[in-house]
Amino acid sequence: MARHIHIENERETALQAAVTELAAGQPIALPTETVYGLAADATNPAAIARIYETKGRPQFNPLICHMADIAMAERYAIFDPISLDLAEAFWPGPLTLVLPLKPASDIHALATAGLDTVGIRVPQGFAGDLIRRFGKPLAAPSANSSGKISPTSAAHVEADLGQKINLILDGGAASVGVESTIVKVEEGGRVRLLRPGGVVTAEIERVAGKRLERSEKASAAIEAPGMLASHYAPGAAVRLNATSVSPGEALIRFEGIPVAGEETARAVFDLSPSGDLSEAAANLFDYLKAADASGADSIAITSIPTHGLGEAINDRLSRAAAPRS
């Protein structure tokens, strides 16, 4: 059963308890002005994997990374002039900007779904204070099981996830009650609306000085998580459900199970020697990149279970192995 702390009456206790949980790699339920978020350290792959695991039926969609202020955001992402104007106008507040990652960013690839962009928001009130105290960005999708209605109160979170997390911070009802508006500034200064939300588009257009372009579908899932059949693909070819390894191939295996010919592999990686799908999810993007960097022309990957986080792992692997245009 999750511990509840009422922020209004126990603010310092709430801050200390939250920092302790976050430092231990555990997700917490955090009130924001939009909806309650399931927040964890955006630089810790195991913590991010626990977000997906807690929500259930994970899709590895990119997660919005919440910052304390613009200065913190500038340490992780590259701002164009229009995005900076929007940040200065609407942060802290319910606007998310999709920005290019800085090359040295510590935000883990599991939070960005392996993409070179990141969605960033600066929340109002307690959430911003907690991020400032913690000193790192927090990845935080809505604090609900996948497919359920987003929570706007601590009671909503308790009814859904109360048995799965250790801490629920109660800040009362969310003042906005819908998720943030998501916007991306593209080449040529085009400003695209990826999801309508807590900041009305007319206000964004006023600050940007131009009309927002609409995506075919108003969902960040179209833009960020990689809907193309071929995606997350390394330079090397990817071969799935491998039962043997050819000389010079790189091998990514699972659960410590030896593979015929692995002694001739250029490099061998095990997503989780113990068979822990959460650990495998946390290692997935790093190991794909490392196998590619080994110089192998092909990467052989053994079969991965399809239950739990395995569903998302296999989805990403199938996209990595898909025929490329």
Side-chain angles (χ1 to χ4, degrees):
M1 181 69 69
R3 176 187 181 191
H4 281 246
I5 301 179
H6 291 267
I7 292 169
E8 183 177 357
N9 300 325
E10 303 176 88
R11 189 179 186 84
E12 184 59 31
T13 299
L15 285 168
Q16 292 177 2
V19 168
T20 297
E21 289 291 322
L22 293 169
Q26 297 298 323
I28 64 169
L30 174 67
T32 78
E33 74 276 28
T34 57
V35 299
Y36 274 65
L38 187 64
D41 183 351
T43 70
N44 181 340
I48 299 164
R50 290 187 184 104
I51 291 177
Y52 290 117
E53 194 170 35
T54 300
K55 285 179 69 69
R57 292 187 59 80
Q59 299 299 311
F60 275 13
N61 286 340
L63 304 178
I64 294 173
C65 292
H66 296 68
M67 308 282 177
D69 47 37
I70 294 176
M72 175 182 275
E74 287 179 320
R75 299 207 300 266
Y76 297 93
I78 301 168
F79 282 76
D80 60 90
I82 295 176
S83 293
L84 187 57
D85 286 344
L86 293 173
E88 290 174 341
F90 298 110
W91 284 355
L95 176 69
T96 294
L97 297 171
V98 176
L99 302 165
L101 277 168
K102 284 191 171 179
S105 171
D106 290 332
I107 293 174
H108 195 269
L110 200 58
T112 63
L115 299 171
D116 58 4
T117 56
V118 59
I120 292 181
R121 185 168 92 82
V122 174
Q124 297 172 359
F126 179 86
D129 294 339
L130 172 58
I131 297 165
R132 194 170 292 106
R133 175 76 66 93
F134 185 54
K136 299 178 185 179
L138 297 181
S142 56
N144 56 277
S145 297
S146 181
K148 292 192 175 182
I149 298 172
S150 297
T152 56
S153 72
H156 293 164
V157 179
E158 172 62 36
D160 188 359
L161 303 180
Q163 301 295 325
K164 296 182 178 181
I165 57 178
N166 297 330
L167 180 64
I168 297 174
L169 300 178
D170 190 342
S175 60
V176 175
V178 295
E179 291 87 351
S180 61
T181 305
I182 302 179
V183 166
K184 182 181 181 183
V185 178
E186 300 183 329
E187 289 187 15
R190 296 169 55 233
V191 185
R192 193 147 59 93
L193 177 69
L194 301 182
R195 181 181 75 185
V199 177
V200 298
T201 56
E203 287 300 297
I204 296 172
E205 290 174 339
R206 178 183 60 79
V207 173
K210 56 186 66 184
R211 291 188 62 81
L212 290 177
E213 298 183 15
R214 265 64 172 177
S215 299
E216 291 184 7
K217 296 179 182 178
S219 168
I222 297 169
E223 174 64 19
M227 300 302 293
L228 296 175
S230 177
H231 203 75
Y232 311 101
V238 175
R239 186 165 63 87
L240 302 182
N241 300 316
T243 57
S244 63
V245 184
S246 302
E249 278 191 310
L251 170 66
I252 297 178
R253 66 185 187 186
F254 179 73
E255 205 170 10
I257 299 173
V259 177
E262 68 175 42
E263 66 277 0
T264 67
R266 181 175 289 270
V268 178
F269 305 90
D270 198 313
L271 290 172
S272 174
S274 66
D276 183 336
L277 287 171
S278 179
E279 181 183 15
N283 288 330
L284 178 61
F285 289 119
D286 282 345
Y287 286 7
L288 276 173
K289 289 182 178 180
D292 197 32
S294 72
D297 292 331
S298 177
I299 303 171
I301 304 177
T302 62
S303 62
I304 310 295
T306 58
H307 62 81
L309 279 170
E311 179 184 8
I313 294 170
N314 280 285
D315 173 75
R316 284 341 187 233
L317 291 176
S318 69
R319 295 178 191 278
R324 306 171 194 181
S325 57

